[in-house]
Amino acid sequence: MTYSRQYKTGPAIRGFLFHVGATFGMTDSLVVPEDTIRTTVGDVALPRMGIVEQVWETDPIPAEEIESRAVTAAESLDFSGIPDGGEIAIGAGSRGIANLGTIVRGVVAGVREQGYQPFVFPAMGSHGGATAEGQREKLNTLGVSEETVGCEIRATMEVETVGETPERGVPVYADANAVAADGIVMVNRIKPHTDFGGEVESGLSKMLVIGMGKQRGAKMAHDWAVDWSLRNMLPEIAEQLLETLPVAGGVAVVEDEHDDTTLIEGVPASGFLKRERELLETAYERMPTLPFDEMDVLVVDRIGKDVSGQGMDTNVTGRRHFTINEPEPESPDVKRIYLRGLTAKTKGNAMGMGQADFAHRDVKAGLDWSKALINAITASTVRGVRLPPVVENDRAGLLGALGTIGPVAGDEARVLRVTDTMRLERCYASEPLVETARERSDLRVIAEPEAVEFDDAGNFAAPSPHGANGD
């Protein structure tokens, strides 16, 4: 005999089921129509927008010299403890580093010229959906493939336990292919981290600890960071890895305000942490920032893992509310953030969308919830993937943001629109910000304010500011 039981669902349960269904695409009820926003905010005037450009003095490495500089950097590393003809594992990550494929190809060539057999392995924690094939594909989208760099790529999520920290007994993991190699070289950009501040942030040490630790090592590090803090953990575990594994060093990259390569340097294992601290200071000096410290509305056209580990750089937005025991940056002060979309290279990983107050329907449509949640759980930053209120179009997003900034007239609001938090040279700016820009030597006005135009679907007619020419 078969028994069945029917359950009645109260309002709370029905609300939960609706939320789950909406979140996982079973309904479009999460998308709020423009008419609803208009009715709610009332008569809000839209600001006139001009184009402001930041004036930076930069000295990028010429494109034709990138590969040779990487070769030289690799040749400067200390291979003295590695047997002749041995295998060298070269770690490459998931960040959108300028010229990454060319730099890795140069490192491969430099290692090979020293008489060793190089192979590349993905050093990216849980990125790529925490699968070997996903990580291989992630490298491919960034210009790193067997064809472009000239050597084998060995991708695995398998790790080896290579030790534990002395006081806390925290296990230390490393990519199984890297552990099996005769030597290890990391290739990464040095830059301020989005989740914490310290003497060593995003760079070679973090790649050793978290990137090379794969999903298991990344999860361990971020779990312990809740109490220990990455600012303290990274140097300690990096030192242990340097002592335990045959790390020949790393090739450090620093980019300028235009995200162009301005420095490629070989850092031997003996000076790993010391030199990285010094290069981090340089990276802070060259990091692009928003041209204003106080804004009513910031419109961000796209976020992605190729832009920042948190989708949009917290050092740029001033928002780090998703971390635990880590202070937010002192500036800028932004009342509302409206997010318009995702980059193609992020492959649906919308980490960082939780920073926004409103999101365009394209953000929801482009989400890969599995990738985003795997990343968020691994990094212990689940608030970073909270989906903001979703609006039908840009007009609704802008009106919703302007309608929630307090007693400020919409046409007098300080509004800035950027392509993403990496590309900040050129921005759309409202009239109050344009007038401020006229008085500053580090800014130039290249297009006078005019009414914001929308297409038939209610989206911005103007292209992203990175591609706007001011004509």
Side-chain angles (χ1 to χ4, degrees):
M1 183 178 294
T2 302
Y3 293 88
S4 65
R5 180 177 294 176
Q6 294 182 339
Y7 293 89
K8 293 183 177 180
T9 57
I13 297 298
R14 288 196 298 270
F16 169 76
L17 293 175
F18 168 80
H19 173 72
V20 171
T23 297
F24 287 91
M26 294 179 226
T27 175
D28 277 336
S29 297
L30 282 181
V31 180
V32 181
E34 178 189 331
D35 287 345
T36 301
I37 299 294
R38 282 180 171 277
T39 301
T40 304
V41 302
D43 187 15
V44 175
L46 297 178
R48 294 165 59 84
M49 304 288 284
I51 301 178
V52 170
E53 189 174 73
Q54 300 200 62
V55 180
W56 294 320
E57 294 183 5
T58 60
D59 184 25
I61 298 173
E64 64 274 13
E65 296 181 17
I66 296 289
E67 185 170 347
S68 63
R69 297 279 189 100
V71 171
T72 301
E75 291 175 340
S76 71
L77 302 179
D78 183 7
F79 296 100
S80 60
I82 299 173
D84 294 341
E87 286 194 326
I88 303 295
I90 300 172
S94 57
R95 299 295 184 238
I97 300 173
N99 305 301
L100 179 61
T102 304
I103 293 170
V104 174
R105 183 169 64 245
V107 174
V108 167
V111 167
R112 187 173 282 130
E113 288 179 12
Q114 296 299 300
Y116 299 102
Q117 303 302 313
F119 69 87
V120 169
F121 73 97
M124 58 180 72
S126 68
H127 298 173
T131 68
E133 188 55 37
Q135 296 203 341
R136 182 186 293 272
E137 175 60 25
K138 186 68 176 178
L139 286 182
N140 186 60
T141 64
L142 297 173
V144 179
S145 66
E146 293 185 351
E147 293 74 23
T148 59
V149 303
C151 74
E152 180 185 1
I153 294 179
R154 299 180 189 174
T156 181
M157 296 306 296
E158 296 298 319
V159 294
E160 298 287 343
T161 303
V162 297
E164 63 178 35
T165 61
E167 294 185 7
R168 293 175 171 81
V170 177
V172 178
Y173 303 103
D175 179 287
N177 288 326
V179 172
D182 298 297
I184 300 171
V185 172
M186 310 306 288
V187 180
N188 203 14
R189 176 181 56 199
I190 308 296
K191 68 181 292 290
H193 199 275
T194 55
D195 293 356
F196 69 98
E199 292 185 347
V200 171
E201 297 183 23
S202 184
L204 299 174
S205 298
K206 179 174 178 285
M207 179 175 267
L208 269 180
V209 177
I210 296 178
M212 190 169 68
K214 314 302 284 191
Q215 196 277 336
R216 194 172 178 185
K219 183 68 170 67
M220 173 278 300
H222 287 103
D223 281 350
W224 278 91
V226 173
D227 294 322
W228 192 359
S229 177
L230 287 170
R231 75 169 71 92
N232 300 318
M233 176 192 300
L234 286 182
E236 181 173 329
I237 297 183
E239 286 275 22
Q240 187 165 350
L241 286 166
L242 290 168
E243 293 173 359
T244 304
L245 299 176
V247 179
V251 173
V253 179
V254 176
E255 295 176 351
D256 62 21
E257 292 89 338
H258 296 289
D259 303 309
D260 292 327
T261 309
T262 192
L263 179 148
I264 302 174
E265 180 179 316
V267 181
S270 59
F272 217 71
L273 291 171
K274 179 179 182 296
R275 184 56 180 152
E276 186 169 350
R277 292 186 187 101
E278 296 169 349
L279 291 175
L280 180 60
E281 293 181 7
T282 301
Y284 262 106
E285 294 171 358
R286 306 315 302 262
M287 182 181 71
T289 59
L290 297 175
F292 307 99
D293 287 334
E294 295 184 352
M295 283 153 282
D296 295 306
V297 177
L298 174 64
V299 178
V300 180
D301 280 6
R302 63 189 186 188
I303 64 171
K305 298 296 291 187
D306 52 318
V307 174
S308 168
Q310 281 296 334
M312 48 181 148
D313 196 323
T314 62
N315 296 292
V316 173
T317 64
R319 294 189 174 188
R320 196 182 285 160
H321 60 277
F322 46 80
T323 59
I324 300 175
N325 296 329
E326 298 291 349
E328 289 194 342
E330 294 182 2
S331 65
D333 182 9
V334 181
K335 291 182 182 177
R336 291 287 181 262
I337 295 178
Y338 166 49
L339 172 61
R340 301 185 63 228
L342 309 176
T343 66
K345 290 182 179 179
T346 202
K347 301 290 186 181
N349 187 340
M351 170 61 79
M353 65 181 174
Q355 293 185 56
D357 301 289
F358 295 91
H360 192 284
R361 69 187 307 162
D362 287 350
V363 174
K364 176 178 175 290
L367 281 175
D368 184 320
W369 281 105
S370 293
K371 287 182 180 178
L373 190 56
I374 288 170
N375 190 180
I377 291 174
T378 302
S380 296
T381 55
V382 290
R383 285 178 285 187
V385 293
R386 286 179 174 175
L387 181 63
V390 180
V391 295
E392 177 185 9
N393 54 31
D394 287 329
R395 186 156 42 214
L398 185 57
L399 286 171
L402 291 170
T404 57
I405 58 174
V408 179
D411 53 359
E412 297 177 2
R414 299 162 298 180
V415 180
L416 195 74
R417 178 184 166 196
V418 302
T419 299
D420 54 48
T421 57
M422 282 179 66
R423 296 159 184 84
L424 298 172
E425 178 185 15
R426 189 167 290 185
C427 316
Y428 291 110
S430 63
E431 284 186 284
L433 296 180
V434 168
E435 293 309 311
T436 299
R438 297 187 201 279
E439 303 173 359
R440 289 172 45 180
S441 60
D442 62 330
L443 298 175
R444 66 167 65 101
V445 178
I446 65 171
E448 293 298 325
E450 56 186 35
V452 177
E453 295 185 359
F454 300 90
D455 62 19
D456 292 341
N459 295 314
F460 294 134
S464 287
H466 188 63
N469 58 21
D471 294 337

